[in-house]
C-alpha cells in the first residue's frame, strides 16, 4: 500500500461513505428528535400491537432459521448419506425464491379455495378442519423457509473451517461425539451463527410484503402504509426510525452473542472425518433434506410453472401478457443500472483505499458498506428525506423540478439501491484486490503510472473476476428486491417484483406465476454458478483457498460490515 | 544538483557527484524510530549494499527514496533534484526511480514485453526498440511473449530487473531482491544482476539482511542498525575495520580480546598485535576465526570445548583459564578433539580493529 496518501483518493472514499451514511443518518436523527404530535397520533393507532408483532416475528423467525440452518449444516457437514454431496448445495437453492414468492405460492396452495383444502373437502366433506392460513405462524414458517440458507451457509462454512484437531482433542479428553459437539463445535460456530441470525433478522425487518399476505402487521408494514396511503413523510420517517432501532438492537444482540469470540483456526488442516450413515438413519437424513428442498424449491417452482401455463392458456389472445415484457424491461434496466453503478463505485473505493493510504480511509470504506445492514424501509425513507431536502434547496434557487426528482425519476430508487447493495459489490471487488499484492500497486507507481492509470491499467484488469461477481450479485438482488422499489418507484413505474406483489395481493396466482418464475430463474443463476465455483475450487486448490471461495460473496456483505 | 552546502557537509570518498543523496532523513512509526537522521550519498554507476537485521529500517529507507512513504523530516535528492524535503514531496510516479520489489510484483495480467514497456511513455516511438534492448541486456531476448507465471524464478527476477531499468531511472532500488530464490540459484542470479547493473551503468541501492551478499555485491556497504547508519564504506573496510561492535559482529563472527594499547600496537595474552587506531590504555581487539590458528600443546593455555563442522573448515571454540573464549578454524583434514589442550596464535597480516574496553 502506498503510504504517501493522496488526498484526492481519500476524498473519494469520504464522498462515498457520506453518500451512503447520510440517508440512514437522517432517519437516525428522527429517533433523536421525536415529534410529539405525530407520536401521540401513531400511539393511538395499531402501532403498539405492531411493535409486539414485530418482536414475536423476529424471535420466531430467527429461532426457526437457526434450528433449520444449523441443523442442516450439521447434517450435511458431519454425515455421509445418499445424496449428501448434492444436498450440500441444493439446500442453498431457496435463496433463489424470494419470500414474497414463496409466501404467495403457499397461500395459493393452502388457502380456502386452493387445491389442498379443496381436495380435503372432496375427500372428507365440507366441514373438514384446516388451520387458518393467513396467520402469524404461517408467516413465520414461510419466512424461515425462505431465509434459513443464510444461517446454513455461514454455519456450513464454520463447520468446514473447524479442524479435526480440536474435535479430536475433545474426544481424546473423554467427551462423546455429542458432548464434543456441544462443548467444542457449537461454541466455536457461535460467531457464525450469530452473524447468520442477524442477517435473517435484517431481512425479516426489511420485509413488509410477505407478512402482509398473512395479515401480519409489523412496523415495516406501518412505514409502507403511512407513506403509500397518506404520503406522510414525517410520520413514515418516525416509524422508520423504529425499524432502525430494531436493527440497532439486532446488531447489539449479535455483538453480545458473539462475545469476545474470535476463533481462528490454522488453515489447510484436516477437517473432522465425516460419519457414514447407513440403513434407516441414512434414509432419514436423505428424507429430511429432500423434504426441505421440495418444500422450499421444487414445489414452488412446479406450482409457478403450472400457474404460468394456465395463465397463458386462459388469456384471451393465448399469448404473453404485453405488460410482462415491458415490466421485465423495467426490471432489467434498474438492475443493470444498479449493478454498473455499484461495481464502478466499488472499484473506485477499493482502489482509493490503496492509493489513499491510512487506516482511517479503510474504516471509511467499511462505513460505505453499512447500507446492507440497514433494513430496506429505513434506507428508502432516508433517501426520500434527502430528495425532499434537495427539492427544497432547488425551490430556493427557483427551480421547481425537485418534485419531479422525488416522484418522477429513477434517481431515488437508484440511490437507495446503491446504498443497499454497495456492500455486496464492494466485498467482491475488495476480495479480488486483496489478492493483488500491494507491491503491484507500488510497482506501477514507481514505473511512472499516475494513480488513475494504475487503476485503469493494473487494478481493473486484475479485479475483473471480482467485478463480474459484483455485477451478477447486485443485478440479481436488485431484480428480486421488493420493499425499496415499492416505496421509491416513480409514478407508474412497474417492475416484475411489484407486479408479482400486486397480483398476489389480489389473489390472482395464475397471473403472478410467470413473472415470479422469471424472478426465480434469474435468481437461481448465482446459486448455480456459486456451486460450480465451489466445485472447481475444491478440485483445484488447497483447502484454505476454498474457504475464501465465492460462498461468502452472498453472505459476507451482510456480516455487518464492521466484523 | 545538490546544493553546495549539502555536498560540502558530507565528505565521503565519492568518485563523481552524488546521484542519490539522503540528508538527515527520519521516520517514526509510533514508538519506533525507523529512520534516525540517515545521511547517505551514492555516486553515479555505484552499487550500494544496505545491510542490517530485519526491522533496522533499511526497507523504510528504500520506500522513502521511492516515494512510497513520506519521511517525517530530512531531504532526498535524486538525479540532481530534490524529491523530498520540508516542503517538497514528489509522488513515486514522477521520481524516475526504478524499484525491484522483494516479491518482484510483476503484473500477472501482462506478458513480459508488456511488463517491461509499462514504464515507457506511450508517445515514445522507440519504446519497442528499448524493450528489446533491455530484454537483451538481461538475457531474456525471445521471451517477450511469455507470461510471468510461465517463467522460472530466475527468469522472473530478470523481468523485474528489465522492467525497472527500461525507463532509464536515475537510481534503481532493489529490496531484498534475491530472498525468494533458493540458495544455489541466489548466488548466480546475484552475480548476473550485478553484471547487468554495471553494464547498464545504473546507479543502484540494494537492501539485504545477508551480510555475505552485501559484501560480495556492493561497491560500498552501508550497515544499518535500529534506524541509524552505523558505517558506510567499501566492503574490505567495513569487514576488517568496523567502527562499532555491532558492525563487527553483524558482518561476520568476531571475538574480542582484552589488551593494553600502546601507540599503534596492543599487548594481549596472545602477543603484541598491530591495531588500526593508535591510542593508550586498556582496549578490546577484534579477532575473526580465520585469523586465529591453534596447535595442540600440553603447555597451551586453552582447551577445545566445542567444534562445528563447516565443510572445508572446522570451527573450534577454545576456552581459557580466565573463562574467556575465542573461536578459530582448522582445515577439515586435521580437526582437534574436544578436550585437547591448545596454544592459540593470531595470524595477522593487517592492523586489527580495536574498541574501547
Amino acid at each position: 500500500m502506498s503510504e504517501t496518501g493522496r488526498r484526492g483518493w481519500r476524498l473519494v472514499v469520504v464522498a462515498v461513505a457520506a453518500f451512503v451514511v447520510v440517508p440512514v443518518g437522517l432517519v437516525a436523527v428522527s429517533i433523536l428528535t421525536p415529534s410529539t404530535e405525530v407520536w401521540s397520533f401513531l400511539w393511538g393507532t395499531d402501532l403498539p400491537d405492531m411493535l409486539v408483532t414485530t418482536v414475536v416475528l423476529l424471535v420466531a423467525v430467527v429461532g426457526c432459521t437457526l434450528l433449520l440452518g444449523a441443523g442442516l449444516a450439521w447434517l450435511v457437514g458431519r454425515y455421509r448419506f445418499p445424496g449428501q454431496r448434492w444436498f450440500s448445495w441444493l439446500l442453498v437453492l431457496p435463496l433463489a425464491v424470494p419470500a414474497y414468492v414463496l409466501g404467495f405460492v403457499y397461500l395459493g396452495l393452502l388457502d380456502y379455495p386452493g387445491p389442498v383444502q379443496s381436495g380435503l373437502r372432496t375427500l372428507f366433506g365440507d366441514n373438514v378442519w384446516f388451520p387458518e392460513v393467513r396467520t402469524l405462524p404461517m408467516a413465520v414458517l414461510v419466512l424461515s423457509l425462505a431465509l434459513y440458507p443464510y444461517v446454513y451457509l455461514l454455519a456450513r462454512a464454520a463447520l468446514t473451517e473447524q479442524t479435526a484437531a480440536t474435535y479430536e482433542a475433545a474426544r481424546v479428553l473423554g467427551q462423546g461425539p455429542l458432548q464434543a459437539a456441544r462443548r467444542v463445535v457449537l461454541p466455536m460456530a457461535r460467531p457464525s451463527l450469530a452473524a447468520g441470525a442477524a442477517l435473517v433478522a435484517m431481512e425479516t425487518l426489511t420485509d413488509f410484503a410477505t407478512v402482509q399476505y398473512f395479515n401480519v402487521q409489523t412496523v415495516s408494514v406501518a412505514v409502507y402504509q403511512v407513506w403509500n396511503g397518506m404520503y406522510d413523510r414525517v410520520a413514515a420517517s418516525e416509524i422508520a426510525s423504529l425499524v432502525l432501532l430494531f436493527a440497532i438492537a439486532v446488531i447489539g444482540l449479535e455483538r453480545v452473542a458473539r462475545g469476545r469470540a474470535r476463533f481462528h483456526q490454522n488453515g489447510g488442516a484436516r477437517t473432522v472425518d465425516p460419519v457414514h450413515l447407513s440403513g434407516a438413519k441414512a434414509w432419514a437424513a436423505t428424507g429430511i433434506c429432500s423434504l426441505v428442498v421440495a418444500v422450499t424449491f421444487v414445489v414452488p417452482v412446479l406450482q409457478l410453472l403450472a400457474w404460468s401455463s394456465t395463465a397463458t392458456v386462459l388469456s384471451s389472445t393465448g399469448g404473453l401478457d404485453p405488460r410482462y415484457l415491458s415490466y421485465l424491461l423495467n426490471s432489467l434496466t434498474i438492475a443493470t443500472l444498479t449493478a454498473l453503478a455499484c461495481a464502478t463505485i466499488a472499484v473506485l473505493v477499493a482502489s482509493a483505499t490503496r492509493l489513499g493510504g491510512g487506516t482511517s480511509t479503510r474504516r471509511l470504506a467499511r462505513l460505505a458498506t453499512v447500507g446492507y445492514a440497514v433494513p430496506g424501509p429505513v434506507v428508502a425513507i432516508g433517501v426520500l428525506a434527502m430528495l425532499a431536502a434537495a427539492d427544497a434547496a432547488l425551490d430556493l434557487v427557483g427551480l421547481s423540478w425537485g418534485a419531479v426528482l422525488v416522484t418522477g425519476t429513477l434517481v431515488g430508487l437508484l440511490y437507495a439501491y446503491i446504498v443497499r447493495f454497495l456492500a455486496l459489490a464492494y466485498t467482491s471487488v475488495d476480495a479480488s484486490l486483496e489478492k493483488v499484492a500491494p507491491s503491484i500497486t507500488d510497482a506501477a507507481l514507481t514505473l511512472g503510472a499516475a494513480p488513475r492509470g494504475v487503476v485503469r491499467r493494473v487494478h481493473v484488469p486484475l479485479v475483473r473476476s471480482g467485478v463480474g461477481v459484483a455485477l451478477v450479485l447486485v443485478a440479481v438482488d436488485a431484480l428480486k428486491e421488493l420493499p425499496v422499489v415499492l416505496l421509491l418507484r416513480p409514478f407508474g413505474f412497474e417492475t416484475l417484483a411489484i407486479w408479482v406483489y400486486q397480483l398476489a395481493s389480489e389473489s390472482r396466482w395464475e397471473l403472478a406465476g410467470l413473472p415470479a418464475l422469471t424472478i426465480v430463474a434469474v435468481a437461481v443463476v448465482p446459486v448455480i454458478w456459486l456451486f460450480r465455483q465451489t466445485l472447481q475450487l475444491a478440485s483445484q486448490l488447497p483447502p484454505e483457498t476454498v474457504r475464501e471461495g465465492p460462498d461468502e460473496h452472498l453472505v459476507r456483505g451482510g456480516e455487518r460490515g464492521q466484523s | 544538483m545538490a546544493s553546495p552546502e549539502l555536498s560540502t557537509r558530507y565528505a565521503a570518498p565519492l568518485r563523481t557527484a552524488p546521484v542519490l543523496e539522503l540528508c538527515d532523513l527520519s521516520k517514526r512509526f509510533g514508538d519506533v524510530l525507523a529512520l534516525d537522521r540517515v545521511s547517505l550519498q551514492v555516486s553515479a554507476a555505484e552499487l550500494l549494499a544496505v545491510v542490517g537485521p530485519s526491522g533496522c529500517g533499511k526497507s523504510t529507507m528504500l520506500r522513502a527514496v521511492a516515494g512510497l512513504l513520506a519521511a517525517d523530516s530530512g531531504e532526498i535528492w535524486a538525479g540532481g533534484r530534490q524529491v523530498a524535503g520540508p516542503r517538497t514531496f514528489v509522488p513515486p510516479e514522477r521520481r524516475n526511480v526504478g524499484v525491484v520489489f522483494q516479491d518482484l510484483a510483476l503484473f500477472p495480467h501482462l506478458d513480459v514485453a508488456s511488463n517491461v514497456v509499462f514504464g515507457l511513455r506511450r508517445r515514445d516511438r522507440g519504446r519497442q526498440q528499448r524493450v528489446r534492448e533491455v530484454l537483451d541486456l538481461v538475457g531474456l531476448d525471445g521471451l517477450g511473449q511469455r507470461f510471468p507465471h510461465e517463467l522460472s524464478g530466475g527468469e522472473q527476477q530478470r523481468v523485474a530487473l528489465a522492467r525497472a531499468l527500461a525507463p532509464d531511472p536515475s537510481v534503481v532500488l532493489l529490496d531484498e531482491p534475491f530472498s525468494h530464490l533458493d540458495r544455489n540459484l541466489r548466488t548466480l542470479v546475484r552475480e548476473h544482476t550485478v553484471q547487468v547493473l554495471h553494464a547498464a551503468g545504473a546507479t543502484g541501492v540494494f537492501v539485504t539482511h545477508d551480510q555475505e551478499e552485501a559484501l560480495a555485491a556492493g561497491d560500498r556497504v552501508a550497515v544499518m542498525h535500529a534506524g541509524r547508519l552505523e558505517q558506510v564504506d567499501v566492503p574490505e573496510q567495513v569487514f576488517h575495520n568496523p567502527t562499532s561492535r555491532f558492525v563487527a559482529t553483524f558482518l561476520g563472527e568476531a571475538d574480542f580480546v582484552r589488551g593494553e594499547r600502546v601507540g599503534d600496537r596492543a599487548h594481549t595474552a596472545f602477543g603484541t598485535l598491530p591495531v588500526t587506531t593508535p591510542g593508550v590504555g586498556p582496549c578490546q581487539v577484534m579477532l575473526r576465526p580465520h585469523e586465529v590458528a591453534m596447535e595442540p600443546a600440553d603447555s597451551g593455555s586453552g582447551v577445545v570445548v566445542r567444534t562445528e563442522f563447516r565443510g572445508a573448515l572446522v570451527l573450534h571454540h577454545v576456552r581459557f583459564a580466565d573463562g574467556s573464549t575465542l573461536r578459530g578454524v582448522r582445515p577439515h583434514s586435521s580437526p582437534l578433539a574436544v578436550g585437547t589442550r591448545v596454544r592459540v596464535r593470531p595470524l595477522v597480516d593487517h592492523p586489527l580493529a580495536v574498541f574501547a574496553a
Side-chain angles (χ1 to χ4, degrees):
Chain A
M1 183 197 342
S2 166
E3 289 144 53
T4 50
R6 286 148 196 281
R7 204 176 302 142
W9 287 90
R10 248 178 256 164
L11 281 179
V12 169
V13 184
V14 173
V16 172
F19 178 85
V20 168
V21 170
V22 168
V24 181
L26 286 179
V27 176
V29 166
S30 39
I31 302 181
L32 301 174
T33 56
S35 135
T36 35
E37 15 176 346
V38 173
W39 278 112
S40 57
F41 162 71
L42 286 173
W43 215 245
T45 64
D46 296 338
L47 197 65
D49 288 343
M50 288 171 156
L51 284 174
V52 176
T53 311
T54 307
V55 174
V56 174
L57 184 78
L58 276 176
V59 171
V61 171
V62 166
C64 290
T65 48
L66 273 179
L67 249 130
L68 199 56
L72 289 169
W74 175 257
L75 194 61
V76 299
R78 283 295 152 83
Y79 296 99
R80 293 290 172 271
F81 49 88
Q84 177 269 342
R85 213 174 134 70
W86 289 95
F87 283 123
S88 76
W89 76 272
L90 282 173
L91 287 168
V92 187
L93 275 179
L95 273 185
V97 186
Y100 64 86
V101 170
L102 194 70
F104 90 76
V105 168
Y106 278 100
L107 209 52
L109 277 171
L110 300 177
D111 214 3
Y112 186 79
V116 174
Q117 289 207 46
S118 315
L120 287 174
R121 280 197 298 274
T122 26
L123 282 176
F124 303 105
D126 282 353
N127 290 331
V128 66
W129 178 87
F130 198 82
E132 187 57 46
V133 178
R134 295 183 188 250
T135 55
L136 181 62
M138 274 303 288
V140 170
L141 191 63
V142 163
L143 282 174
S144 303
L145 287 173
L147 298 176
Y148 84 85
Y150 290 113
V151 177
Y152 170 77
L153 274 174
L154 283 166
R156 202 184 59 175
L159 282 182
T160 43
E161 271 173 35
Q162 287 187 7
T163 55
T166 329
Y167 177 76
E168 282 162 6
R171 293 298 303 276
V172 173
L173 287 167
Q175 309 290 315
L178 283 179
Q179 277 175 304
R182 189 174 54 82
R183 296 183 58 181
V184 177
V185 178
L186 208 56
M188 293 207 327
R190 197 182 61 193
S192 301
L193 293 180
L199 207 51
V200 167
M202 289 306 170
E203 290 295 314
T204 310
L205 273 176
T206 291
D207 178 87
F208 53 74
T210 320
V211 288
Q212 281 195 83
Y213 298 155
F214 296 96
N215 291 336
V216 173
Q217 306 282 311
T218 63
V219 277
S220 298
V221 174
V223 175
Y224 176 63
Q225 286 173 341
V226 166
W227 172 241
N228 232 36
M230 313 192 252
Y231 288 97
D232 184 343
R233 200 177 52 72
V234 180
S237 183
E238 295 288 352
I239 306 173
S241 71
L242 276 184
V243 181
L244 186 60
L245 274 181
F246 270 107
I248 291 168
V250 165
I251 291 172
L253 283 174
E254 190 223 339
R255 284 284 123 111
V256 173
R258 179 184 291 201
R260 293 194 294 111
R262 293 285 181 278
F263 302 123
H264 283 287
Q265 297 235 310
N266 303 330
R270 199 165 44 89
T271 50
V272 181
D273 292 333
V275 177
H276 287 264
L277 296 178
S278 58
K281 278 186 185 173
W283 291 111
T286 309
I288 291 171
C289 292
S290 310
L291 182 69
V292 173
V293 174
V295 167
T296 53
F297 190 76
V298 179
V299 171
V301 168
L302 288 177
Q303 180 60 62
L304 289 174
L305 274 170
W307 278 332
S308 319
S309 56
T310 35
T312 323
V313 173
L314 286 180
S315 75
S316 48
T317 53
L320 270 175
D321 191 320
R323 284 172 297 178
Y324 171 75
L325 282 180
S326 88
Y327 296 169
L328 177 64
L329 191 66
N330 284 347
S331 281
L332 290 176
T333 307
I334 189 72
T336 311
L337 286 176
T338 309
L340 288 175
C342 284
T344 310
I345 296 174
V347 170
L348 277 179
V349 173
S351 287
T353 51
R354 264 210 185 174
L355 293 162
T359 43
S360 59
T361 320
R362 226 149 229 292
R363 261 186 231 131
L364 271 176
R366 283 190 164 176
L367 202 58
T369 65
V370 47
Y372 203 84
V374 180
V378 176
V379 174
I381 297 298
V383 167
L384 274 179
M386 275 204 76
L387 292 183
D391 185 9
L394 287 171
D395 264 352
L396 273 183
V397 295
L399 291 166
S400 56
W401 42 272
V404 180
L405 200 69
V406 179
T407 52
T409 71
L410 289 174
V411 171
L413 183 56
L414 199 57
Y415 190 156
Y417 272 4
I418 292 172
V419 171
R420 192 117 166 78
F421 299 131
L422 184 58
L424 221 48
Y426 180 73
T427 37
S428 323
V429 173
D430 193 49
S432 250
L433 194 59
E434 205 68 10
K435 291 188 190 121
V436 178
S439 58
I440 295 268
T441 305
D442 290 347
L445 286 171
T446 58
L447 286 166
R452 243 175 304 168
V454 176
V455 175
R456 185 173 51 80
R457 295 167 68 189
V458 180
H459 289 180
V460 170
L462 287 177
V463 301
R464 227 173 6 199
S465 68
V467 171
V469 174
L471 286 171
V472 172
L473 290 182
V474 173
V476 168
D477 256 28
L479 189 109
K480 66 179 189 185
E481 202 283 334
L482 180 60
V484 174
V485 73
L486 268 179
L487 285 166
L488 287 180
R489 63 186 166 139
F491 184 73
F493 182 81
E494 309 274 347
T495 66
L496 287 185
I498 295 175
W499 202 30
V500 167
Y501 169 70
Q502 285 169 342
L503 293 170
S505 304
E506 297 159 14
S507 302
R508 297 165 72 186
W509 323 125
E510 287 88 355
L511 282 176
L514 184 61
L517 199 61
T518 313
I519 291 170
V520 172
V522 172
V524 95
V525 169
V527 179
I528 289 174
W529 160 83
L530 171 155
F531 166 65
R532 280 187 46 200
Q533 290 251 314
T534 320
L535 273 194
Q536 275 172 9
L537 285 173
S539 58
Q540 284 169 2
L541 298 168
E544 66 263 47
T545 325
V546 177
R547 207 174 291 158
E548 294 188 295
D551 249 32
E552 291 170 38
H553 287 308
L554 284 177
V555 178
R556 263 270 192 83
E559 282 187 72
R560 309 285 81 80
Q562 316 91 321
S563 60
Chain B
M1 276 288 102
S3 70
E5 176 208 19
L6 279 177
S7 23
T8 47
R9 253 167 73 192
Y10 297 96
L14 289 174
R15 280 171 283 176
T16 55
V19 167
L20 176 69
E21 185 160 10
L22 313 188
C23 176
D24 277 342
L25 205 63
S26 293
K27 174 74 184 178
R28 178 182 285 281
F29 293 115
D31 291 340
V32 182
L33 206 50
L35 294 177
D36 188 0
R37 280 174 290 127
V38 169
S39 296
L40 187 66
Q41 292 177 322
V42 187
S43 55
E46 186 188 23
L47 181 56
L48 177 79
V50 180
V51 66
S54 38
C56 71
K58 54 194 193 298
S59 286
T60 305
M61 185 179 95
L62 218 62
R63 294 178 67 78
V65 173
L68 298 170
L69 174 145
D72 299 335
S73 61
E75 296 170 28
I76 302 172
W77 296 71
R81 68 190 172 122
Q82 194 183 43
V83 293
R87 271 168 303 278
T88 317
F89 182 83
V90 177
E93 66 270 21
R94 275 185 256 130
R95 285 203 181 184
N96 193 26
V97 167
V99 184
V100 176
F101 289 86
Q102 183 165 13
D103 60 358
L104 303 184
L106 298 178
F107 302 124
H109 62 300
L110 300 177
D111 63 19
V112 168
S114 310
N115 261 284
V116 176
V117 88
F118 191 96
L120 300 175
R121 281 174 198 284
R122 211 154 275 221
R123 274 164 292 170
D124 185 352
R125 288 271 177 78
R127 59 189 200 141
Q128 291 311 329
Q129 173 61 32
R130 176 67 183 156
V131 170
R132 273 195 298 278
E133 248 173 57
V134 183
L135 285 179
D136 199 40
L137 181 70
V138 300
L140 280 180
D141 37 330
L143 293 187
Q145 309 310 310
R146 298 273 194 93
F147 277 86
H149 66 267
E150 298 171 325
L151 301 175
S152 71
E155 288 168 336
Q156 291 180 353
Q157 166 75 36
R158 295 182 197 198
V159 178
L161 186 60
R163 185 179 69 177
L165 286 172
D168 196 18
S170 58
V171 188
V172 183
L173 310 174
L174 304 98
D175 187 6
E176 303 260 6
F178 317 114
S179 59
H180 65 287
L181 300 168
D182 61 54
R183 210 178 162 76
N184 295 326
L185 195 55
R186 202 183 303 168
T187 317
L188 281 175
V189 173
R190 185 186 72 211
E191 281 166 5
H192 177 258
T193 303
V194 172
Q195 277 170 18
V196 168
L197 287 172
H198 282 311
T203 308
V205 176
F206 92 91
V207 150
T208 175
H209 63 270
D210 182 337
Q211 72 281 6
E212 278 178 42
E213 202 162 275
L215 293 171
D219 292 329
R220 282 191 303 150
V221 175
V223 185
M224 227 176 155
H225 177 48
R228 287 172 161 275
L229 277 183
E230 296 259 332
Q231 190 173 3
V232 187
D233 214 325
V234 294
E236 295 77 12
Q237 280 297 312
V238 286
F239 188 73
H240 288 303
N241 194 10
T243 53
S244 71
R245 277 166 182 268
F246 174 80
V247 174
T249 49
F250 186 75
L251 290 179
E253 288 161 321
D255 288 307
F256 299 93
V257 174
R258 259 175 289 163
E260 190 72 23
R261 185 158 43 168
V262 180
D264 59 357
R265 320 214 133 238
H267 301 294
T268 73
F270 310 104
T272 301
L273 304 170
V275 296
T276 48
T277 326
V280 177
C283 65
Q284 302 251 319
V285 181
M286 179 187 85
L287 278 172
R288 296 200 186 274
H290 71 273
E291 294 164 338
V292 175
M294 67 193 75
E295 269 88 45
D298 291 341
S299 60
S301 54
V303 177
V304 176
V305 290
R306 195 153 68 86
T307 60
E308 274 172 48
F309 182 62
R310 293 266 172 103
L313 297 170
V314 179
L315 185 74
H316 291 66
H317 293 250
V318 178
R319 187 189 291 278
F320 300 96
D322 62 354
S324 65
T325 59
L326 201 57
R327 287 168 293 179
V329 292
R330 285 176 66 85
H332 70 98
S333 50
S334 57
L336 297 175
V338 169
T340 312
R341 192 158 274 281
V342 292
R343 183 168 41 235
V344 169
R345 183 167 52 86
L347 295 172
V348 181
D349 53 3
H350 59 85
L352 297 172
V354 63
F355 300 97

